[in-house]
Each structure stands twice: as C-alpha cells, then as structure tokens.
Amino acid sequence: MALQPRRGLEVLSSNVTIWPSDYSQAWTLAAPVERSGVGLHSGAVARLRLEPFEQPGYWVGWLDDPSLAPQRLHPGQVCETQLCTALQLDQRRLATVEHLLAALAGVGISSALLLVDGPEIPLLDGSAQPWVEAIAEAGLTALGQRPAPAPLAAPITLQQGQSFATALPGDRLRLGAAIEFPQAAIGRQLFSLDLTPEAFVREIAPARTFGFKQQVEQLLAAGLIKGGALDNALVCDGEGWLNPPLRFADEPVRHKLLDLLGDLALAGLPQAQVFAFRGSHGLHTALAAALVSPS
C-alpha cells in the first residue's frame, strides 16, 4: 500500500510525492520497482529491482542467481574505490553502488532489498534523481521507530595527502563538501546542508557525475568509463562544459556530497557533522568504516 498523508510527512511537488520529514522513522518500499541501464565503467547493461524488506539495512541478492542468499551491505565489503565504490559480495563483485545508496538513504528508506543482474548498478542519468523517481513510483511503507544512531563520542578525521574527511559530534546529520580543481569551469566550490529527505531530493539528488575531456582516452585505456556518455555525465573541457546546461551552478560539489552520502550509507546515517575536502570514495568509505568501528 502506498504511503498516505499523515502528520510528520511533507508533500513534495505537483505529483504529491510524500517524503518523511526526517530520519527518525524506519521506512521501506511499498512495492517493487525496477530499472535497467548501462553501467558507467563496465559498459554492460544491468538490471536492478528494488523490493520491500523489513530487516534493517540494505541487502543485495541476484536476479541471475536466486540461490544466493541476500547479504547486508557494510563498509567491510568495499574492494575498490577508483572512480566508484565497488563491493565484494562473496564471489560476486558489484560496482558503482553510491548513487543508488544515496537515493535510498537520502529519502529515508532504511530497509530495502536490491536484486541485481549485472556487474554494476545502472548509471541512468548519472545522478540520484532517477532512483528517487523510482522510489516515488513504488511508494513508502513505515516500519516503526528507527533505532537512533550511537552518538559520536569524539571527532574522527582521516587524511590522504591534501584531502581529508571528518565527522564531528552533533545533534543531527549535517553534510558538507568542498572541491578544488584547476579547471576554470569548476575552481573552488563549497556546499553544506542539514540533511532531510526533502532537502536531499531538492538540493542533492539531481546533481550528476562529472569528468574531464582530457582524461577520457586514458580512462578508456584503463578499462574504465566504457558506459560514459554525454547523457549520463557532465564533461568539462577546462573553460566550460561539453553538455550544458548545469542543473546547479555548483553541480560538481553537490555531486561530491551525493557520493559522500552514498558511501556513508554503507554504515547507516550517523548523528554527526560530516565534511569532506577534496573527497574520494576511498576517503568516504574509510570514514564509514571508522564510524562503525571507531578506535
């Protein structure tokens, strides 16, 4: 049954999509929904079905091998972080999970089953917006109160060269990201917000992945971005963009924040202020692991 209007929920846009007002409740999908499309790096067509699930967390099973039991996702499964987040799930590898996980976590879904056919999550338009639309199509069902995340006892900061990611104790989830590129079309950008489902859908979900024209041949030679195209990624040529217009003037940093959220979702949403400067999937997922097992 689709989610019905009730106190504590907000109506979003003219199609009367209703999102939770915050992350205090547990939610799953009201019905299955499926999407298919090319994978960014493999170039292979992948199919993914989202299904309702009552156990906490995000679980992955396989459409092409239903005999394999679903596994709950966690940061310890991260096996590669070059230009995406890839997970090793026993003998199977699943790449580019971050945009879908950002969509699920961002709109408030705390329990879901991801059934996959292919080596990668479909890229769709390079943002989380098509996944948000799929979730809206399926609807949401309440599962009761969500267990509160453990409060962060002390700051956690990880650094790689000039890049760093930090989590500070806080009373709610606030995300921030900053990037710095020599290309004039990007330069220095900073964006932060107190995260809510409505703010995620409006401010973060539409931001698309981006890359650089001068790196295309090198990445293709390395076996990457085989599925990349001008309809699923912004491409910068230094002074401008090959496929304008941008959805936001600062779309690149908003996409970095989208990636940060998707990687953190492997550990569950923290009650903290999280900030990444010149972040990467390696830094994000390391921070997610540290949030699960701080030392």
Side-chain angles (χ1 to χ4, degrees), residues 39 42-47 62 64 86-87 92-96 116-121:
S42 67
V45 174
R47 183 164 62 105
W62 304 94
D64 58 344
L87 308 176
R92 302 287 297 260
R93 182 180 182 275
L94 182 61
T96 321
V116 188
D117 181 2
E120 223 176 339
I121 301 295

Side-chain angles (χ1 to χ4, degrees), residues 21-73:
S21 59
D22 57 29
Y23 300 107
S24 62
Q25 299 290 313
W27 298 91
T28 189
L29 295 111
V33 65
E34 189 170 306
R35 294 290 187 269
S36 61
V38 68
L40 171 59
H41 295 299
S42 67
V45 174
R47 183 164 62 105
L48 183 134
R49 182 188 305 152
L50 292 171
E51 292 197 350
F53 209 65
E54 293 193 359
Q55 296 187 53
Y58 308 125
W59 298 71
V60 167
W62 304 94
L63 288 168
D64 58 344
D65 192 350
S67 67
L68 296 176
Q71 297 184 58
R72 183 175 180 175
L73 300 187

Side-chain angles (χ1 to χ4, degrees), residues 82-83 212-225:
Q82 185 181 15
L83 299 183
F212 301 95
K213 180 182 177 182
Q214 67 269 28
Q215 296 178 351
V216 169
E217 292 302 324
Q218 177 185 354
L219 292 173
L220 285 171
L224 300 170
I225 66 165

